Structure formats: C-alpha cells, structure tokens
Amino acid sequence: MKARIEKKLSKRLVDIASSVFVGVWIDKDEPSELAYKQRTRVSHVWSVGGGTDYWGEGQDAYTVWADWKSNWPWHGPFNSFPEGHEFECYPDTGSFRPTTRSLLKLAADCELISKATA
C-alpha cells in the first residue's frame, strides 16, 4: 500500500468512526512509518498514540489505519473462543476476511453500535 493511500484511509476512518478513535491528532512534522520506508514525503496524517507515559518515557505513535489494522478484532461483534480452547477469551474472527472494504464497514458498524448504546 502506498503512503498516500494510508493517509486517505486514516482520514476516512476518523470521519466514519470518530468515537472509536479517541485522541486522534494530525502528525505535521514526521512522515508515517510507511512513508519513511517508501522514501516519500507524506505528512499531515491522522495518528493516535505518541506523547509520554506516567514515567516520562515516549510512546509509539501510529497512523489511524495502522492502529485499526492491528486492533480490529477487539472492536467487532465477534464471539470469544470457548473455555478450554487454546485461544480462550480471544475473539473468533475465523469467518471474517480483513479486506480494506470490510475493515471500513466494520468501523462504521462499530460507530453505529457505540452511538446506539450511548
């Protein structure tokens, strides 16, 4: 994936699922990790994380799209594996295909669920 596509997907995720991404900010200074690897100059990407923790140590910052790609199983309406299973308490995402389109739809569904329960 190109870094400019990642930038557009990050903005789209913030637009459709703003309650899922709390504390988002625009990284104006540093290019994303993907842009750095591709040696492109893509800036002003929606990001999460960063800053310092309780002890004053720096935390990693990720683009919204990278964060969503690594954490989507925990936000979806997936059942957990049963007790005694090797992956007990983890979400069972066996039938879900994490394509770009399905991940965007899942984010929109999570936004609708969070608005309905609020």
Side-chain angles (χ1 to χ4, degrees):
M1 170 182 299
K2 293 192 176 206
R4 62 185 177 80
I5 303 294
E6 181 184 40
K7 177 181 178 176
K8 290 178 182 182
L9 288 171
S10 294
K11 182 177 183 333
R12 178 78 176 135
L13 277 173
V14 171
D15 289 342
I16 64 174
S18 59
S19 67
V20 175
F21 301 103
V22 179
V24 296
W25 49 279
I26 296 178
D27 194 355
K28 297 177 182 176
D29 300 329
E30 296 291 324
S32 67
E33 184 176 334
L34 184 61
Y36 183 78
K37 287 180 182 177
Q38 294 175 358
R39 295 182 179 164
T40 59
R41 184 67 187 153
V42 178
S43 59
H44 294 83
V45 180
W46 286 95
S47 303
V48 293
T52 56
D53 60 9
Y54 177 79
W55 294 276
E57 296 175 357
Q59 295 178 328
D60 292 334
Y62 301 96
T63 64
V64 171
W65 179 250
D67 182 61
W68 181 248
K69 277 184 62 178
S70 63
N71 293 312
W72 63 266
W74 302 104
H75 294 282
F78 305 112
N79 295 327
S80 298
F81 283 103
E83 284 189 35
H85 191 274
E86 178 183 2
F87 300 115
E88 180 181 343
C89 299
Y90 284 92
D92 183 6
T93 60
S95 62
F96 185 81
R97 290 189 59 215
T99 62
T100 301
R101 182 174 288 186
S102 62
L103 288 175
L104 288 172
K105 184 178 181 326
L106 179 65
D109 292 344
C110 290
E111 178 73 9
L112 289 174
I113 291 170
S114 67
K115 283 185 178 180
T117 58

